[in-house]
Amino acid sequence: MQNILLVAIGGAIGSVFRYILTASIPHQIAKVYLFGTLSVNLIGSLLIGLFWGIFEHQIGNNSLRILLIVGILGGFTTFSSFSLEMVNLLKQAEYRNAILYVLATNIFGIGLAILGYWISIKFSTTQV
Protein backbone atom coordinates (compact mmCIF):
# COMPACT_ATOMS: atom_id res chain seq x y z
CA MET A 1 0.00 0.00 0.00
CA GLN A 2 2.91 2.36 0.74
CA ASN A 3 4.26 1.92 -2.81
CA ILE A 4 0.86 2.78 -4.31
CA LEU A 5 0.75 5.95 -2.23
CA LEU A 6 4.30 6.86 -3.34
CA VAL A 7 3.37 6.37 -7.00
CA ALA A 8 0.20 8.44 -6.57
CA ILE A 9 1.99 11.32 -4.83
CA GLY A 10 4.89 11.20 -7.30
CA GLY A 11 2.53 11.02 -10.28
CA ALA A 12 0.68 14.12 -9.08
CA ILE A 13 3.97 16.00 -8.62
CA GLY A 14 5.26 14.92 -12.03
CA SER A 15 2.00 15.91 -13.74
CA VAL A 16 2.14 19.36 -12.16
CA PHE A 17 5.77 19.78 -13.29
CA ARG A 18 4.75 18.73 -16.83
CA TYR A 19 1.90 21.22 -16.85
CA ILE A 20 4.11 24.06 -15.60
CA LEU A 21 6.79 23.32 -18.19
CA THR A 22 4.42 22.99 -21.14
CA ALA A 23 2.37 26.02 -20.05
CA SER A 24 5.55 28.13 -19.99
CA ILE A 25 6.27 27.44 -23.67
CA PRO A 26 4.73 30.05 -25.97
CA HIS A 27 1.63 28.61 -27.66
CA GLN A 28 2.82 29.11 -31.25
CA ILE A 29 6.12 27.32 -30.59
CA ALA A 30 4.42 24.46 -28.75
CA LYS A 31 1.80 24.02 -31.48
CA VAL A 32 4.12 24.12 -34.47
CA TYR A 33 6.99 22.10 -33.09
CA LEU A 34 5.16 19.92 -30.51
CA PHE A 35 7.85 21.22 -28.23
CA GLY A 36 6.01 20.74 -24.95
CA THR A 37 5.60 16.98 -25.13
CA LEU A 38 8.95 16.48 -26.82
CA SER A 39 10.77 18.50 -24.16
CA VAL A 40 9.17 16.72 -21.19
CA ASN A 41 9.83 13.33 -22.75
CA LEU A 42 13.47 14.15 -23.49
CA ILE A 43 14.09 15.73 -20.07
CA GLY A 44 12.36 12.74 -18.48
CA SER A 45 14.53 10.34 -20.48
CA LEU A 46 17.71 12.03 -19.28
CA LEU A 47 16.51 12.05 -15.67
CA ILE A 48 15.32 8.45 -15.69
CA GLY A 49 18.71 7.29 -16.96
CA LEU A 50 20.47 9.42 -14.36
CA PHE A 51 18.30 8.26 -11.46
CA TRP A 52 18.41 4.63 -12.57
CA GLY A 53 22.20 4.68 -12.51
CA ILE A 54 22.26 6.40 -9.14
CA PHE A 55 19.86 3.90 -7.60
CA GLU A 56 21.62 0.97 -9.22
CA HIS A 57 25.06 1.92 -7.91
CA GLN A 58 24.66 4.19 -4.91
CA ILE A 59 21.26 4.31 -3.24
CA GLY A 60 19.44 1.22 -2.07
CA ASN A 61 16.25 3.02 -1.02
CA ASN A 62 13.46 1.29 -2.98
CA SER A 63 10.78 3.70 -1.74
CA LEU A 64 12.69 6.71 -3.05
CA ARG A 65 13.26 4.92 -6.37
CA ILE A 66 9.53 4.23 -6.70
CA LEU A 67 8.64 7.83 -5.82
CA LEU A 68 11.13 9.39 -8.26
CA ILE A 69 11.20 7.00 -11.21
CA VAL A 70 7.75 5.42 -11.27
CA GLY A 71 5.82 8.27 -9.68
CA ILE A 72 7.35 11.64 -10.54
CA LEU A 73 8.99 10.76 -13.86
CA GLY A 74 6.07 8.52 -14.82
CA GLY A 75 3.72 11.45 -14.26
CA PHE A 76 6.07 13.93 -15.90
CA THR A 77 6.63 12.10 -19.18
CA THR A 78 3.68 11.32 -21.37
CA PHE A 79 3.40 8.69 -24.04
CA SER A 80 -0.34 9.23 -24.41
CA SER A 81 0.13 12.89 -25.40
CA PHE A 82 2.84 11.86 -27.84
CA SER A 83 0.47 9.29 -29.37
CA LEU A 84 -2.37 11.80 -29.72
CA GLU A 85 -0.06 14.34 -31.33
CA MET A 86 1.08 11.66 -33.79
CA VAL A 87 -2.54 10.86 -34.69
CA ASN A 88 -3.20 14.56 -35.32
CA LEU A 89 -0.10 14.91 -37.49
CA LEU A 90 -1.17 11.91 -39.55
CA LYS A 91 -4.76 13.21 -39.85
CA GLN A 92 -3.38 16.51 -41.14
CA ALA A 93 -1.15 14.63 -43.62
CA GLU A 94 1.98 16.12 -42.04
CA TYR A 95 3.96 12.96 -42.71
CA ARG A 96 7.38 14.60 -42.68
CA ASN A 97 6.74 16.17 -39.28
CA ALA A 98 5.31 12.89 -37.98
CA ILE A 99 8.44 10.98 -39.01
CA LEU A 100 10.73 13.64 -37.53
CA TYR A 101 8.72 13.65 -34.30
CA VAL A 102 8.92 9.87 -33.92
CA LEU A 103 12.63 9.84 -34.68
CA ALA A 104 13.44 12.77 -32.39
CA THR A 105 11.42 11.35 -29.51
CA ASN A 106 12.85 7.86 -29.77
CA ILE A 107 16.44 8.46 -30.84
CA PHE A 108 17.05 11.44 -28.58
CA GLY A 109 14.99 9.93 -25.75
CA ILE A 110 16.98 6.72 -25.71
CA GLY A 111 20.21 8.63 -26.22
CA LEU A 112 19.47 10.91 -23.28
CA ALA A 113 18.52 7.97 -21.05
CA ILE A 114 21.89 6.40 -21.90
CA LEU A 115 23.64 9.74 -21.29
CA GLY A 116 21.95 10.12 -17.91
CA TYR A 117 22.92 6.59 -16.93
CA TRP A 118 26.50 7.17 -18.11
CA ILE A 119 26.73 10.41 -16.11
CA SER A 120 25.54 8.65 -12.95
CA ILE A 121 28.10 5.86 -13.45
CA LYS A 122 30.89 8.35 -14.16
CA PHE A 123 30.22 10.30 -10.99
CA SER A 124 29.69 7.22 -8.84
CA THR A 125 33.10 5.81 -9.79
CA THR A 126 34.94 9.11 -9.26
CA GLN A 127 33.34 9.74 -5.86
CA VAL A 128 34.66 6.53 -4.25
Side-chain angles (χ1 to χ4, degrees), residues 2-57:
Q2 177 188 353
N3 288 347
I4 292 171
L5 186 58
L6 290 170
V7 171
I9 291 168
I13 293 168
S15 295
V16 169
F17 284 158
R18 179 180 68 234
Y19 175 78
I20 291 168
L21 179 67
T22 57
S24 69
I25 298 170
H27 180 69
Q28 292 301 343
I29 293 173
K31 184 178 177 184
V32 174
Y33 299 105
L34 305 168
F35 193 72
T37 303
L38 180 62
S39 62
V40 297
N41 286 337
L42 294 181
I43 292 167
S45 294
L46 177 65
L47 292 175
I48 204 164
L50 183 66
F51 286 133
W52 186 261
I54 290 170
F55 284 107
E56 186 177 76
H57 294 96

Side-chain angles (χ1 to χ4, degrees), residues 11-111:
I13 293 168
S15 295
V16 169
F17 284 158
R18 179 180 68 234
Y19 175 78
I20 291 168
L21 179 67
T22 57
S24 69
I25 298 170
H27 180 69
Q28 292 301 343
I29 293 173
K31 184 178 177 184
V32 174
Y33 299 105
L34 305 168
F35 193 72
T37 303
L38 180 62
S39 62
V40 297
N41 286 337
L42 294 181
I43 292 167
S45 294
L46 177 65
L47 292 175
I48 204 164
L50 183 66
F51 286 133
W52 186 261
I54 290 170
F55 284 107
E56 186 177 76
H57 294 96
Q58 295 177 7
I59 301 173
N61 188 332
N62 193 48
S63 295
L64 186 57
R65 182 186 63 82
I66 289 170
L67 175 69
L68 286 173
I69 293 176
V70 179
I72 294 175
L73 291 176
F76 181 69
T77 58
T78 174
F79 189 75
S80 58
S81 294
F82 166 76
S83 299
L84 178 60
E85 290 166 350
M86 281 300 302
V87 168
N88 287 327
L89 286 172
L90 295 173
K91 279 178 30 184
Q92 297 165 3
E94 293 188 36
Y95 303 116
R96 180 179 169 269
N97 287 339
I99 291 169
L100 290 173
Y101 191 39
V102 167
L103 291 175
T105 299
N106 289 287
I107 291 170
F108 291 126
I110 292 168

